[in-house]
Amino acid sequence: MAPKMLSECIGKKVSIYIEGGLGGYVATVLAVEDNFIKIEDKKNIRYINADMIIEIRVVKE
């Protein structure tokens, strides 16, 4: 997924689905740098390779 598109999600709560994953992550996007996206869920901060992302949905609260 293109970093420019991912940067539109900074500060938003999203649902992220990645290749080979059985499920997805529901988290807040903290940053997008180079080809990685930094997210925070209830327990962890994660760094995900943007090439592995299949779909992102913005969660409406």
Side-chain angles (χ1 to χ4, degrees):
M1 186 166 277
K4 184 176 179 181
M5 291 177 66
L6 291 172
S7 65
E8 294 175 7
C9 297
I10 293 174
K12 296 180 182 176
K13 188 172 184 179
V14 297
S15 181
I16 299 174
Y17 298 92
I18 59 172
E19 286 182 22
L22 298 175
Y25 300 106
V26 175
T28 302
V29 178
L30 300 177
V32 176
E33 291 187 28
D34 296 326
N35 206 33
F36 282 85
I37 180 171
K38 181 180 180 181
I39 62 171
E40 181 177 22
D41 60 16
K42 292 180 181 179
K43 297 181 182 180
N44 302 302
I45 291 180
R46 300 176 190 269
Y47 296 86
I48 298 173
N49 186 328
D51 290 336
M52 301 298 289
I53 296 173
I54 296 172
E55 179 180 354
I56 293 182
R57 296 180 187 176
V58 177
V59 177
K60 293 185 180 182
E61 296 181 41

